[in-house]
Amino acid sequence: MEQENSIQGSNNNSLINSDESLDWAKQAYEKLKQQQAEKKQADLIKADKEQISNSEDLPLDSKDSETSLDNIVPGKDSNSKQTNTPELIDSKFSSDDSELGDFDDQFTWSAKVLEAQGKSVDNISIDEINWLSRLQKGLEKTRKGFVTDLLEKFGDDPLTPETLDELETLLLRADTGVDATDQIINALRMRLNEEVLDSKEGLRFLKEQLCKIVEKPIKDSGKDSLIPEKNILNIWLLVGVNGVGKTTTLGKLAKLALSSGFTALIAAADTFRAAAVEQLKVWGNRSGVSVVANETTNADPAAVVFDAIGAAQSRNIELLLVDTAGRLQTKNNLMEELTKVRKIIDRLAPEAKVESLLVLDSTQGQNGLSQAMAFAQSVNLTGVVITKLDGSSRGGVAFAVASQANLPIRFIGAGEGIKDLRPFNSFEFVEALLANR
């Protein structure tokens, strides 16, 4: 997944409200408006050509198209009705292009965030603008309980020790966590001992510290962003307790991978939860990615992964996304099942690039942090996906996970749409969290 300028953080200045920035936003809007008009015209021409081509070559029997290599497991008869056989469910890609909205405060703010990261007017997209708008709106609940009070405490006067005490309370209330809060407050106190800080500089310094906290585990991992390697099998396991949005996240990741030019496949290895396979089929259809599944009750997850790896290798798939059962950290048998799945991967695809991503529901706050700590002890986690930021007032949990679990945040979700999951960008996240509009 492309993620240009994804880990910028402390190297960027805070957003500057100036005539130059407003002019840049206006130029960006006009450029995107022109691009959208040109694309719509090109799509109309393409659609006309496809309609003419299809009318000249209609199939004799539409049912013939239902039987293909894509939905038959090798070695099985195409007429077999056995339900205990893993099936490869093929799905067609459907486009859902973004629309450019109005030139308003929301667009202007999003444009300024991109400009602050060194983007040029010719190098931005409607998707980027719309994502930033959704992220800013999604963090509204956290912002209401944090930024409004924060700006009131900062006021227009220089910062005082009393201000920092009040800031500490606000950070803890936003579920930022004790470690991250201590780190921020201590840094501010040291700075305050060296010089007088006005409110504007204090806010800029706070943003810088917040970015550093979430960037540290990313830098420690040696990967600025999580992107599948081309022309090799990458396997991403999604783990977490029930209800955090694993299956939904997997579907969105599949869409993101496909849109970024990677070949992808989904393995429905959550065989213990009722309707999990059907739910994943729906997301596979939405994303345009095939699903390997076994709908037998309590089917062996490792067997599904076994078949999925075989299918991925035969198709030269670059990214295999594996959905796993909701695993409460107290259920040892389920943890053992995950270990079994990992052994299958190591045996069948020893050269594959494997990632274990923990999906966390941001609405759970500190409980989500407890989950991260428990899973980190039992499973070799390599990253975190934080979901449901649009429904939570506890967005600060991102800083707690980074500082206490030392896990890199790889993706965040802020909405129900298929495009409402994006690679994590510390600068954008902090700016959206502390947006003052």
Side-chain angles (χ1 to χ4, degrees), residues 241-296:
V241 301
N242 284 333
V244 295
K246 286 194 311 300
T247 304
T248 300
T249 296
L250 189 143
K252 294 177 181 180
L253 282 174
K255 169 67 174 178
L256 189 57
L258 201 66
S259 301
S260 301
F262 296 94
T263 54
L265 185 67
I266 295 171
D270 182 358
T271 59
F272 298 111
R273 182 171 65 88
V277 173
E278 283 302 320
Q279 184 184 0
L280 201 54
K281 284 184 187 179
V282 172
W283 277 104
N285 186 59
R286 289 178 183 174
S287 61
V289 175
S290 300
V291 178
V292 176
N294 186 331
E295 298 186 63
T296 305

Side-chain angles (χ1 to χ4, degrees), residues 64-288:
D64 292 343
S65 63
E66 295 177 4
T67 301
S68 68
L69 181 62
D70 287 343
N71 54 22
I72 300 175
V73 176
K76 297 299 295 183
D77 186 278
S78 62
N79 294 320
S80 174
K81 301 300 182 181
Q82 295 178 0
T83 58
N84 61 344
T85 302
E87 58 177 337
L88 204 57
I89 305 146
D90 192 55
S91 51
K92 297 182 178 179
F93 173 72
S94 58
S95 177
D96 55 342
D97 295 328
S98 299
E99 288 288 331
L100 182 63
D102 297 330
F103 182 79
D104 52 15
D105 289 343
Q106 193 72 62
F107 179 93
T108 303
W109 177 85
S110 299
K112 287 178 180 178
V113 171
L114 295 175
E115 181 193 19
Q117 297 179 84
K119 291 272 190 176
S120 69
V121 171
D122 297 325
N123 193 32
I124 65 172
S125 67
I126 297 175
D127 265 352
E128 288 176 299
I129 291 287
N130 289 347
W131 161 250
L132 287 171
S133 296
R134 292 194 299 272
L135 178 61
Q136 202 248 32
K137 291 177 182 176
L139 289 171
E140 181 69 23
K141 289 184 178 179
T142 301
R143 193 163 50 248
K144 280 183 177 179
F146 178 61
V147 178
T148 303
D149 290 341
L150 173 67
L151 295 177
E152 181 181 325
K153 303 301 182 188
F154 271 38
D156 297 322
D157 299 324
L159 269 63
T160 65
E162 290 74 23
T163 305
L164 297 188
D165 290 340
E166 293 170 336
L167 172 60
E168 182 176 14
T169 301
L170 292 175
L171 288 168
L172 291 172
R173 190 191 304 166
D175 273 313
T176 305
V178 175
D179 288 1
T181 298
D182 286 346
Q183 185 176 329
I184 293 166
I185 297 301
N186 289 338
L188 279 168
R189 283 203 175 105
M190 288 180 62
R191 185 72 184 274
L192 201 58
N193 289 336
E194 296 171 358
E195 60 181 306
V196 175
L197 282 180
D198 61 24
S199 59
K200 184 176 180 180
E201 175 59 19
L203 185 58
R204 188 206 65 77
F205 188 71
L206 172 61
K207 290 180 178 181
E208 181 180 293
Q209 294 304 309
L210 289 171
C211 282
K212 283 183 178 180
I213 288 171
V214 288
E215 283 175 3
K216 183 182 182 301
I218 295 173
K219 291 178 178 178
D220 290 346
S221 73
K223 297 179 182 178
D224 284 348
S225 57
L226 186 58
I227 303 174
E229 292 189 24
K230 294 292 289 183
N231 303 316
I232 190 173
L233 179 59
N234 301 263
I235 302 176
W236 292 3
L237 291 168
L238 270 66
V239 303
V241 301
N242 284 333
V244 295
K246 286 194 311 300
T247 304
T248 300
T249 296
L250 189 143
K252 294 177 181 180
L253 282 174
K255 169 67 174 178
L256 189 57
L258 201 66
S259 301
S260 301
F262 296 94
T263 54
L265 185 67
I266 295 171
D270 182 358
T271 59
F272 298 111
R273 182 171 65 88
V277 173
E278 283 302 320
Q279 184 184 0
L280 201 54
K281 284 184 187 179
V282 172
W283 277 104
N285 186 59
R286 289 178 183 174
S287 61

